Amino acid sequence: CEVLTAALRAVDVEARWLGDVERSTRVEYCLTEQSPYAILAGDRKICGLAVRRYRTSWLVQGSMLVRPLLPVFLEVMPSPVGDEFRHRAIALEQALGHPICDDQLIQVIMDVWNHWRTGSSQWAVRSLDLSSSNDERRTANCVSHHAV
């Protein structure tokens, strides 16, 4: 959670980890519910993780909504879930206000992970130039990632 929160901050998303939320029931729809391993952008969930501890290992699974869901997916969601999703979840690109390439995001996550894994006291990651002056270049580089 700390690594993904730091990675989101590295791309200029004000992210925070909800490490102190307790649940007595199972999470049914990850991006619509608060959970101990939720990461928020503002007051909306951008990432959710699940952790399972085994005797000698851990299993960590997570999801981050990078792009907004296509309207067709929202239309087929059961009404209470779709409504909750619209109000409680946010895609990374919505939080940023512009597209981000998958390879850029992966690189930031890996940079932060490597700093964390090696015990660096600072998670100084290689800064991405995501300024508006690079919109054309970034869009050109991301075209293949956004094709539907």
Side-chain angles (χ1 to χ4, degrees), residues 10-83:
V11 296
D12 294 327
V13 172
E14 286 298 319
R16 65 188 172 94
W17 168 35
L18 291 179
D20 59 351
V21 173
E22 291 191 27
R23 292 206 46 115
S24 59
T25 59
R26 184 174 170 217
V27 173
E28 295 292 327
Y29 300 101
C30 179
L31 286 169
T32 65
E33 300 178 45
Q34 305 267 335
S35 64
Y37 305 109
I39 300 171
L40 301 184
D43 62 349
R44 297 174 72 186
K45 195 168 187 179
I46 194 168
C47 184
L49 294 124
V51 178
R52 178 155 184 193
R53 184 177 175 190
Y54 293 95
R55 206 169 65 123
T56 60
S57 63
W58 293 69
L59 173 63
V60 179
Q61 175 275 326
S63 61
M64 179 186 303
L65 188 60
V66 176
R67 290 172 193 79
L69 287 182
L70 295 173
V72 67
F73 289 116
L74 292 170
E75 291 169 12
V76 297
M77 283 184 184
S79 147
V81 176
D83 293 341

Side-chain angles (χ1 to χ4, degrees), residues 67-135:
R67 290 172 193 79
L69 287 182
L70 295 173
V72 67
F73 289 116
L74 292 170
E75 291 169 12
V76 297
M77 283 184 184
S79 147
V81 176
D83 293 341
E84 292 292 318
F85 183 87
R86 285 180 193 88
H87 297 291
R88 294 187 177 194
I90 189 168
L92 174 59
E93 289 185 348
Q94 290 171 308
L96 286 170
H98 57 74
I100 186 170
C101 290
D102 295 341
D103 55 344
Q104 290 175 319
L105 178 59
I106 290 166
Q107 186 61 56
V108 169
I109 293 169
M110 294 308 301
D111 286 350
V112 174
W113 169 258
N114 285 326
H115 283 282
W116 179 82
R117 183 181 55 82
T118 59
S120 295
S121 60
Q122 299 231 350
W123 291 356
V125 295
R126 181 174 50 87
S127 124
L128 288 176
D129 187 356
L130 298 174
S131 64
S132 58
S133 62
N134 274 330
D135 279 347

